Amino acid sequence: MLVKAYIISNNSIKRKSLRYKMIEVFKENFFKYKIISDQEEVKVNSNNLINRLRLFYYYFSRFSFDLEHKNDGNMIKKFFLKIFYLIKLVLKCYFNKNEKIKLNLKKILIDNEISKKHIKAWRDFINNKAEYIFVCEDDILCNEFSSKRLKKLLFELKKNNIDLEYIDLAGGYTLEKVIPKNRIIENNKSFLKTKGIYTNTACGYLVSKRIILNWINQIDKKRSNQKFPIDFLINYLGTKMKINSYSLHFKDSIFVHGSFNGEVDSWQNIFNANPNYEN
């Protein structure tokens, strides 16, 4: 099975060794690979009113989608949660100092730039012969068994023609908090399988070409999709697909999201310590 791999990077020197370890995994599995690191400079408008309106728009858009994505069918509950959040957000955007508004907005814009890097990888992938894309961010960690488990997974996918088109490889948030119960079709000691595309973080994932083509088509039709951070974006695009698809999440993930478990310093932590950080 042909796989093209991409590392989403900010060229951090501290993460150089992590990138090399992933490149070794790619070579062991005979993947062609590319590092995606270029991004636009993040700039915040000098107009404080525009910044407040933009921040309000981004926050409310993300909250509204997250609420729909975790839909439990209770429309009344969702309505009141939206109203409560809307009031809280209006107060926040009105009373917070300009500097805090700018910092929060800058965080969101950096998130958006990371999403653009993932999209750049997707666009490159659809123009080659590979059947699956493996995307990871450069805070992904591997252990002595990661490469072997990955090789076994690919062998099983090819041998049994398994209908999985999105496979989470690096874990993250507790699955039960991310995936609606009514979308889970298999839940055992090893993995959780869902109908539809769901991700709990986007640190490492394997996706079929059919799905990526669908996502790129959606993005080209509606550029505003890029207002989401990458994990939100994947979930958003997944909910908008009009095709049957399945995803898999390992209980013991093949790789580890280093920033999530604290073994790698996240860009958010670095940003909080140094607001001039550009990722």
Side-chain angles (χ1 to χ4, degrees), residues 108-123:
I108 288 177
L109 296 178
I110 291 174
D111 252 338
N112 291 352
E113 288 302 314
I114 295 171
S115 293
K116 290 177 184 178
K117 291 181 187 179
H118 283 256
I119 294 168
K120 186 176 181 179
W122 300 349
R123 290 190 185 280

Side-chain angles (χ1 to χ4, degrees), residues 7-213:
I7 299 176
I8 307 302
S9 172
N10 64 356
N11 290 323
S12 166
I13 295 176
K14 291 182 178 180
R15 296 184 180 184
K16 189 175 182 178
S17 62
L18 302 181
R19 293 193 291 272
Y20 281 156
K21 285 182 180 178
M22 285 307 299
I23 289 172
E24 288 177 9
V25 170
F26 298 156
K27 289 180 177 178
E28 287 171 8
N29 286 277
F30 304 103
F31 297 170
K32 290 185 177 180
Y33 68 89
K34 181 179 286 189
I35 296 176
I36 307 289
S37 59
D38 292 340
Q39 70 177 49
E40 296 178 11
E41 181 183 355
V42 173
K43 294 181 180 180
V44 177
N45 201 294
S46 59
N47 187 307
N48 292 319
L49 176 60
I50 290 176
N51 289 336
R52 290 173 190 274
L53 291 173
R54 289 182 75 190
L55 189 65
F56 178 89
Y57 168 72
Y58 283 126
Y59 275 157
F60 192 70
S61 295
R62 293 179 179 189
F63 175 80
S64 297
F65 167 70
D66 201 37
L67 197 61
E68 293 296 327
H69 185 63
K70 298 172 183 176
N71 180 20
D72 60 1
N74 191 328
M75 300 300 293
I76 296 175
K77 178 183 176 182
K78 286 197 296 182
F79 173 77
F80 281 106
L81 283 173
K82 270 193 175 183
I83 295 298
F84 177 75
Y85 183 80
L86 187 60
I87 293 170
K88 187 169 71 172
L89 185 57
V90 167
L91 294 174
K92 182 178 182 177
C93 289
Y94 183 80
F95 287 108
N96 277 357
K97 293 182 178 179
N98 290 332
E99 194 58 35
K100 188 170 184 179
I101 295 290
K102 286 181 179 179
L103 289 178
N104 288 335
L105 181 58
K106 188 175 181 180
K107 272 187 180 181
I108 288 177
L109 296 178
I110 291 174
D111 252 338
N112 291 352
E113 288 302 314
I114 295 171
S115 293
K116 290 177 184 178
K117 291 181 187 179
H118 283 256
I119 294 168
K120 186 176 181 179
W122 300 349
R123 290 190 185 280
D124 184 83
F125 164 69
I126 62 176
N127 292 317
N128 67 70
K129 296 179 180 180
E131 302 161 77
Y132 275 81
I133 182 175
F134 178 2
V135 181
C136 66
E137 297 185 347
D138 62 358
D139 59 344
I140 195 170
L141 303 175
C142 53
N143 58 45
E144 58 181 319
F145 302 111
S146 294
S147 185
K148 290 181 180 179
R149 288 183 64 193
L150 178 62
K151 189 174 293 184
K152 182 180 178 181
L153 169 64
L154 295 173
F155 176 78
E156 291 296 328
L157 285 174
K158 184 175 182 179
K159 178 184 176 183
N160 299 316
N161 195 27
I162 298 175
D163 59 355
L164 294 169
E165 299 194 82
Y166 180 92
I167 301 173
D168 171 59
L169 296 174
Y173 294 101
T174 304
L175 295 173
E176 286 74 11
K177 292 183 178 179
V178 177
I179 303 170
K181 291 181 180 179
N182 64 346
R183 306 298 286 177
I184 298 172
I185 58 178
E186 188 174 352
N187 190 355
N188 57 43
K189 291 190 297 183
S190 301
F191 62 82
L192 186 152
K193 182 179 178 181
T194 70
K195 185 174 182 180
I197 306 298
Y198 293 89
T199 183
N200 51 347
T201 68
C203 180
Y205 55 90
L206 188 73
V207 191
S208 72
K209 178 162 282 183
R210 185 177 81 122
I211 298 300
I212 295 297
L213 285 168

Side-chain angles (χ1 to χ4, degrees), residues 209-267:
K209 178 162 282 183
R210 185 177 81 122
I211 298 300
I212 295 297
L213 285 168
N214 182 286
W215 291 354
I216 290 296
N217 185 50
Q218 288 191 58
I219 289 168
D220 287 342
K221 287 182 178 178
K222 191 176 182 181
R223 303 294 298 181
S224 59
N225 285 340
Q226 296 179 49
K227 66 179 176 286
F228 292 127
I230 187 58
D231 49 346
F232 272 64
L233 178 60
I234 288 173
N235 287 329
Y236 176 88
L237 296 171
T239 60
K240 299 298 181 182
M241 292 193 310
K242 296 180 181 179
I243 55 177
N244 288 327
S245 57
Y246 300 90
S247 53
L248 186 80
H249 301 265
F250 291 102
K251 298 293 181 68
D252 178 22
S253 59
I254 295 177
F255 300 91
V256 177
H257 190 169
S259 294
F260 193 88
N261 71 359
E263 292 188 43
V264 179
D265 208 5
S266 69
W267 74 261

Side-chain angles (χ1 to χ4, degrees), residues 172 260 268 274:
F260 193 88
Q268 291 92 339
N274 176 22

